[in-house]
Amino acid sequence: MSNSQHNLKLAQGDTKALARAITIVENELQGYEDLLLNLTTAKYIPIIGITGPPGAGKSTLVNSLISVLLKRLKADSKGIGIISVDPSSPIHQGAILGDRLRMNEHFNDSRVFIRSLATRGALGGLSAKTIEITEVMRSYGFEYILVETVGVGQSEVEIAGLADVTLLVITPESGDDIQVMKSGVTEIADIFVVNKADRDGADEFAKNLNQILPIKYDRMDIKADVVKTVATKNEGTELLADKIDGQLKNHSPLKKGLLWAEKAYQLILKQKMKGIDKAKIKIEVEQELKKDAAFNIYRFIQKF
């Protein structure tokens, strides 16, 4: 099948074509660049990023949120796409697939497409191919695309550069308000989800968090939302879905431009770094050191 035929089947809602396209792009199989160049999207599909520390209940929250969003889909909707970025298996470098266990309620629903991506050593909480794969999923025409990160390193900042709405999932035990401020995510999170809100201190934590959140820099009348949820009991997710839709409606042209610029920057960076192998650099450095004790690293990197 040619890439043009593949992309046509993708736009027509062929889930097999979607799964195959993701595999081609993720593994850089033959023709993947041409496939990406010929992607078309009839309308703008929002990306909702879900991040937060391990143990905050992200996957359970996503499972509950999917149930709410499914009720709101139009009759002709192609459904919801889920990308769950899992840690890589140390054996086969594939995703561990923990999300499949926690989202089993929707696994066989034809309106829900779940794809696990492995980090494969990528820094932060996203896979190296997340940007490209979200664009493939956009061309399919989902009504929403949800991206759940591993929740480590710089994943909060990474997902903010990808998603139209970023949810930061935390718990009442996440620490005092000052620690939350220090983490640097108050500027990039659109919605703070205080999950496991049936625990002691949740009300006070959410109240204090709401008071210290700054007005968003690109919309002087908009602040981040704070929503309390108990994902295991499906409590608070209706309100969360309302807040997500509200954030999307208030989406400023400035933020959309910044999102596309960030994606372009990351893709250009990857293109420029293609062929740069750290192991080969190490060998070359060692060879240079043997030849010249007065090794100058700045002269060395000029060759790249």
Side-chain angles (χ1 to χ4, degrees):
M1 185 190 301
S2 68
N3 278 326
S4 58
Q5 290 174 316
H6 203 125
N7 287 4
L8 179 61
K9 281 184 171 289
L10 197 58
Q12 290 172 341
D14 187 324
T15 53
K16 288 183 180 178
L18 173 60
R20 177 63 179 157
I22 291 173
T23 298
I24 290 170
V25 170
E26 184 181 13
N27 297 290
E28 296 190 357
L29 301 180
Q30 185 177 1
Y32 86 95
E33 290 176 316
D34 188 46
L35 190 153
L36 290 171
L37 285 169
N38 289 284
L39 289 176
T40 55
T41 307
K43 62 177 182 177
Y44 189 80
I45 313 296
I47 295 175
I48 301 163
I50 300 100
T51 190
K58 295 187 294 295
S59 292
T60 307
L61 180 72
V62 170
N63 190 57
S64 180
L65 184 58
I66 292 170
S67 298
V68 174
L69 294 177
L70 284 173
K71 296 175 189 174
R72 303 183 179 197
L73 295 181
K74 298 171 185 174
D76 60 347
S77 172
K78 290 183 181 177
I80 303 168
I82 315 293
I83 296 176
S84 185
V85 185
D86 273 354
S88 297
S89 162
I91 299 171
H92 56 69
Q93 289 298 298
I96 293 175
L97 307 181
D99 61 293
R100 301 293 178 97
L101 299 175
R102 292 182 289 273
M103 297 182 201
N104 58 359
E105 179 185 338
H106 304 292
F107 187 63
N108 293 317
D109 193 320
S110 61
R111 299 169 299 168
V112 180
F113 180 91
I114 303 173
R115 182 67 176 233
S116 296
L117 298 181
T119 53
R120 296 188 180 182
L123 297 175
L126 292 179
S127 163
K129 289 291 181 182
T130 306
I131 294 175
E132 292 92 326
I133 290 169
T134 54
E135 293 308 311
V136 170
M137 292 181 78
R138 265 201 176 121
S139 70
Y140 179 86
F142 289 112
E143 196 151 333
Y144 297 97
I145 297 171
L146 277 59
V147 180
E148 180 198 348
T149 77
V150 176
V152 295
Q154 292 297 309
S155 61
E156 290 86 358
V157 177
E158 284 183 358
I159 194 65
L162 171 72
D164 297 277
V165 175
T166 300
L167 277 58
L168 176 66
V169 185
I170 49 181
T171 64
E173 300 85 11
S174 293
D176 59 41
D177 308 329
I178 301 302
Q179 288 303 111
V180 173
M181 289 293 287
K182 281 181 181 177
S183 69
V185 295
T186 53
E187 293 181 4
I188 58 91
D190 298 296
I191 303 174
F192 287 80
V193 183
V194 180
N195 194 30
K196 305 181 183 181
D198 52 350
R199 293 183 177 179
D200 290 342
D203 291 343
E204 187 70 16
F205 180 68
K207 178 183 175 183
N208 293 340
L209 182 59
N210 203 22
Q211 289 176 343
I212 64 171
L213 289 179
I215 293 173
K216 295 188 75 60
Y217 70 98
D218 59 340
R219 289 293 301 274
M220 296 311 293
D221 57 336
I222 300 293
K223 281 179 68 175
D225 290 303
V226 178
V227 179
K228 292 183 294 180
T229 61
V230 184
T232 53
K233 300 177 182 176
N234 296 318
E235 294 177 3
T237 41
E238 286 278 358
L239 176 60
L240 177 58
D242 290 340
K243 294 296 185 183
I244 290 170
D245 285 337
Q247 288 282 347
L248 289 171
K249 285 174 185 172
N250 286 315
H251 212 243
S252 72
L254 174 59
K255 180 170 182 180
K256 191 173 285 188
L258 287 170
L259 284 173
W260 282 117
E262 177 63 22
K263 290 177 191 178
Y265 174 79
Q266 292 299 330
L267 291 172
I268 291 167
L269 195 62
K270 280 198 285 184
Q271 285 289 336
K272 296 291 185 184
M273 290 295 290
K274 213 162 193 177
I276 304 295
D277 188 318
K278 199 172 182 181
K280 288 181 181 177
I281 292 174
K282 180 175 178 291
I283 292 169
E284 290 189 37
V285 166
E286 288 170 347
Q287 290 173 344
E288 290 291 328
L289 287 170
K290 287 177 183 177
K291 289 190 292 184
D292 185 4
F295 172 71
N296 185 300
I297 193 169
Y298 301 100
R299 286 199 296 269
F300 174 77
I301 64 171
Q302 298 247 318
K303 67 175 81 171
F304 295 98

